[in-house]
Amino acid sequence: MARFILRRLLGLLPTLLVIIVISFFVIRLAPGSPFMTERGVPPEVLADLKAKYGFDQPLPTQLLRYLGNLAHGDLGLSTKYPQRTVNEIIADGFPATLLLGTAALLWALLLGVGAGIVGAVRQNTAWDYGFMAAAMVGISLPTFVLGPLLILLFALTLYVLPPAGWGSLRHVVLPALTLGTVYAAYLARLTRGSMLEVVRADFVRTARAKGLSEPAIVLHHMLRAGLLPVVTFLGPAIANLLVGSVVVEKIFATPGIGPYFVDAAFNRDYFLVMGIVVLDSVFLLIMNLLVDVAYGLLDPRIRFE
Amino acid sequence: MSDVANLPETYLRMVSREYMRHRLHRLSLHAIMSLALLALVADFVACDRPILLSFRGTLYLLPNLVDPPALRAYDNQRLADEMNPSDWAVFPPVPWGYNSHDLEAVLAPPSAQHWLGTDSGGRDVLARVVHGSRVSLAVGVLSVAVLVSIGMFIGSIAAYFGGVLDLLLMRFLEIVHAVPTILVLVTMLALIMPTGWHSVVAMMVVIGLVRWTDVARLVRGEILRIRTMPYVEAARALGAGHARILLRHILPNALAPVLVAATFAMASAILLEGALSFLGFGIPEDMASWGGMLNDVRGHTGAWWLAVFPGAAIFFTVTVYNLAGEGLRDAIDPRLRA
């Protein structure tokens, strides 16, 4: 298995390279410059600035230099915040994003998988219908609608949670609920569907016949088989949860990397945009790899080849 | 169970009968059509000019659409104030335009004047919700058209020709699929910086360019299945060329799942448009878009009507498309058919 993982990891490198090269050229060939200000910059200063960031070199040279720095883990300098490197900015914002994403993931897993199991085990009962109707609602409820509504309800009407900001665990609750609910809805439907496929499987009947308790059957026998599609969904979902909470961070003024990204795109902060895209792509690719590994662990029929 | 006496039912008939069997699916189809109709007649539902006006001896036909120069300085309120007893007008049910500022009612809660309240610029929320359906529909329909075209093209040539081309295209697909959607969209829109209706076009192209991978996968799978069928071989034996076999014999049989995917893609494109406009990248502020309206909530959290009504509009629209997609999927899936 170690060999399988190593080979797949090496296989990710070309994909990552293509993503970096494409986004590099898309960002750099677009009109606009990071040094545009309302007052305008004197030509000498502009030339100095360009030299500082290496923008005076031809693009392919810049790309090579960027890739070389990247290989050392150096993401470059921010043009918007000249005192800071992109590494520092990401290190600054990432903990908040990570905490928010993890909390949202836990909420999504608890609610989603839980509701899915109940829906499948108690198929066609009020529980089933209730959860599935709720999941339908959850899927169509975008974060930028749910977030303001939750603020209105919990912060401005009931006064139980802070409306925005960061600093204590209470601040994490609303953003995490906002971010996790849609994933919970998808998970509930997926889990229910795949659990229903094994509810009447032979191995479940065997487990029941040998006198196992119902929870043991559900948790040990059915869930393991029923989790495969869930795992497939979870890979990209986790990556999105951990890095893709731009909208939620904007709503709740969370000091994560999301708001930096939005501003960076506006300000043409080339290296910062690149840094965040690279970070997110790496996450996504690694998550997809982990999905494949988890497949082999969950389903003995799948071999690592 | 084949009935020899009757001609077999066509596939389309069968699917639509299956679809129409469920009340929820029927309702969602009606809702989709109503939304399209609303987008079409938005200027008759909410406008700051009357639909028909006889003013100082002149009869104006449809001033809500044609914008007659003589009426430039007037809106519904001024007209109503200055009309002589002999003048008459047919006002739209919502007498506010989507971009007309009522500065006497800024951030006003719902009232008899503004049924759903006003935003921070004094603009009528109901009028903006009604007109917002245009942007949603336009972005949704066009981006789905773009993504289905790209997806079908790439999926079908990959599957039909196979080999190295298939391998390369699928690698490419994986790469596009691996790029985080919202980050790419934000970056591209920030770089293009479109204005006015250009932003709608830019948005739909950009969404289409990023979101075609699911359709391509689906089409590829379908074609791989169909390609080996005897009737395709027969067509080839009769001397049909690649284009003819693909377009006439294979693709039509791969369309049903694409239609399902397109319906779901419509829902997700509307969500994406909302998210982008919410972040301030999408539709400019002077046009009405639901996501953009929600953006206004951030500065005025207490104004619940700014969150609830556009939010409900997005939620409703996305729900009916999702429901329709599910109905369609169940209807075309032969395993579920009795």
Side-chain angles (χ1 to χ4, degrees):
Chain A
M1 195 169 90
R3 272 191 55 199
F4 167 80
I5 297 177
L6 195 69
R7 210 173 52 228
R8 283 292 309 269
L9 268 178
L10 288 177
L12 293 184
L13 287 178
T15 312
L16 191 60
L17 190 69
V18 175
I19 294 178
I20 294 172
V21 171
I22 292 178
S23 41
F24 183 87
F25 281 108
V26 167
I27 294 170
R28 299 306 297 275
L29 293 178
S33 137
F35 306 119
M36 275 191 309
T37 55
E38 277 134 45
R39 278 172 296 158
V41 183
E44 316 83 70
V45 180
L46 193 65
D48 264 12
L49 278 171
K50 280 191 168 166
K52 177 183 174 193
Y53 292 100
F55 294 158
D56 50 349
Q57 309 280 326
L59 267 187
T61 319
Q62 291 187 42
L63 174 65
L64 285 180
R65 187 198 277 179
Y66 183 76
L67 288 174
N69 288 341
L70 200 61
H72 298 102
D74 176 5
L75 294 168
L77 290 169
S78 161
T79 46
K80 172 73 180 173
Y81 311 96
Q83 316 312 330
R84 307 174 68 188
T85 65
V86 173
N87 294 54
E88 281 167 8
I89 293 177
I90 289 180
D92 209 28
F94 202 48
T97 302
L98 204 62
L99 178 59
L100 171 56
T102 313
L105 180 67
L106 286 179
W107 161 245
L109 278 176
L110 266 175
L111 181 70
V113 175
I117 293 176
V118 173
V121 175
R122 303 256 176 276
Q123 197 193 354
N124 295 333
T125 60
W127 284 102
D128 184 19
Y129 293 138
F131 276 132
M132 286 312 117
M136 188 72 222
V137 171
I139 283 176
S140 308
L141 203 58
T143 50
F144 55 91
V145 174
L146 184 60
L149 290 181
L150 287 179
I151 295 179
L152 274 173
L153 181 64
F154 287 103
L156 302 180
T157 312
L158 300 174
Y159 303 105
V160 284
L161 289 165
W166 200 246
S168 73
L169 277 181
R170 285 158 51 82
H171 285 97
V172 187
V173 178
L174 286 186
L177 290 188
T178 307
L179 185 58
T181 297
V182 67
Y183 292 91
Y186 274 111
L187 277 174
R189 296 166 60 134
L190 262 177
T191 311
R192 177 179 177 272
S194 59
M195 290 287 280
L196 276 180
E197 281 181 14
V198 296
V199 153
R200 274 172 276 279
D202 288 342
F203 67 87
V204 173
R205 196 177 320 134
T206 309
R208 202 163 277 140
K210 71 181 185 186
L212 283 184
S213 70
E214 202 57 30
I217 297 173
V218 171
L219 293 178
H220 289 154
H221 295 260
M222 286 165 60
L223 199 55
R224 183 161 161 170
L227 271 186
L228 278 180
V230 175
V231 168
T232 319
F233 171 79
L234 269 184
I238 291 177
N240 281 332
L241 274 172
L242 294 186
V243 206
S245 50
V246 183
V247 175
V248 175
E249 291 183 1
K250 202 83 178 165
I251 300 173
F252 292 95
T254 309
I257 52 174
Y260 276 118
F261 180 80
V262 175
D263 293 342
F266 259 130
N267 295 326
R268 305 283 190 281
D269 199 336
Y270 294 142
F271 292 127
L272 188 49
V273 173
M274 286 295 295
I276 295 175
V277 169
V278 169
L279 180 76
D280 204 356
S281 309
V282 168
F283 250 100
L284 204 61
L285 292 172
I286 288 181
M287 280 303 155
N288 281 334
L289 173 61
L290 287 182
V291 167
D292 289 350
V293 174
Y295 253 60
L297 296 178
L298 280 170
D299 188 345
R301 287 169 301 185
I302 297 171
R303 296 247 163 279
F304 296 112
E305 272 158 20
Chain B
M1 222 178 51
S2 67
D3 200 340
V4 189
N6 296 323
L7 280 171
E9 205 176 14
T10 64
Y11 183 62
L12 193 67
R13 260 263 168 77
M14 207 152 65
V15 168
S16 58
R17 180 171 51 86
E18 243 351 270
Y19 181 89
M20 286 299 184
R21 262 187 22 192
H22 297 274
R23 198 163 53 103
L24 208 54
H25 301 156
R26 247 187 349 253
L27 284 177
S28 63
L29 190 65
H30 294 321
I32 287 174
M33 293 195 292
S34 314
L35 279 168
L37 188 70
L38 180 69
L40 210 62
V41 300
D43 281 324
F44 289 87
V45 178
C47 189
D48 53 5
R49 297 270 167 70
I51 296 168
L52 209 58
L53 173 71
S54 165
F55 189 58
R56 302 198 175 140
T58 323
L59 180 71
Y60 295 94
L61 280 176
L62 300 180
N64 58 336
L65 293 183
V66 294
D67 189 24
L71 292 180
R72 285 275 156 78
Y74 291 92
D75 59 12
N76 286 327
Q77 279 60 49
R78 236 187 113 188
L79 278 172
D81 289 344
E82 297 188 10
M83 273 198 307
N84 299 326
S86 60
D87 294 340
W88 53 268
V90 180
F91 291 108
V94 182
W96 308 96
Y98 64 90
N99 203 28
S100 44
H101 303 258
D102 180 3
L103 295 178
E104 283 158 27
V106 171
L107 279 177
S111 64
Q113 281 233 298
H114 297 280
W115 294 348
L116 301 187
T118 60
D119 67 4
S120 60
R123 293 175 297 197
D124 188 75
V125 169
L126 179 54
R128 285 177 79 71
V129 167
V130 168
H131 281 265
S133 67
R134 290 193 159 175
V135 167
S136 282
L137 196 71
V139 170
V141 167
L142 295 171
S143 63
V144 167
V146 172
L147 72 88
V148 165
S149 312
I150 301 178
M152 284 191 41
F153 180 72
I154 292 189
S156 53
I157 60 172
Y160 186 77
F161 295 108
V164 184
L165 187 65
D166 186 26
L167 208 71
L168 282 177
L169 285 175
M170 286 305 109
R171 282 312 287 180
F172 178 58
L173 184 147
E174 269 170 40
I175 290 170
V176 173
H177 196 74
V179 196
T181 313
I182 194 110
L183 297 193
V184 179
L185 292 178
V186 164
T187 314
M188 285 169 95
L189 288 172
L191 297 178
I192 307 170
M193 285 209 171
T195 50
W197 274 98
H198 284 275
S199 57
V200 177
V201 178
M203 181 109 75
M204 91 206 192
V205 172
V206 168
I207 293 178
L209 281 177
V210 179
R211 280 295 177 97
W212 53 268
T213 52
D214 290 342
V215 173
R217 274 213 186 104
L218 259 178
V219 170
R220 179 172 172 273
E222 280 294 298
I223 291 181
L224 284 179
R225 185 176 62 79
I226 298 169
R227 197 177 59 153
T228 53
M229 289 199 171
Y231 77 86
V232 174
E233 212 172 318
R236 190 168 296 131
L238 286 171
H242 287 314
R244 188 175 170 83
I245 294 176
L246 244 182
L247 295 177
R248 260 200 81 85
H249 297 282
I250 295 185
L251 269 184
N253 287 304
L255 273 184
V258 173
L259 196 59
V260 176
T263 315
F264 286 124
M266 183 81 188
S268 86
I270 291 173
L271 283 181
L272 268 179
E273 183 271 316
L276 290 169
S277 301
F278 177 81
L279 287 175
F281 284 92
I283 309 300
E285 229 244 320
D286 55 1
M287 293 174 69
S289 100
W290 296 331
M293 294 177 70
L294 275 151
N295 192 5
D296 206 20
V297 189
R298 284 202 284 138
H300 316 277
T301 337
W304 56 268
W305 56 94
L306 289 180
V308 170
F309 299 122
I314 293 186
F315 171 67
F316 178 75
T317 310
V318 173
T319 307
V320 294
Y321 277 104
N322 276 333
L323 281 174
E326 276 174 20
L328 214 51
R329 189 185 55 201
D330 294 351
I332 65 163
D333 191 341
R335 279 175 304 175
L336 297 169
R337 199 173 298 143

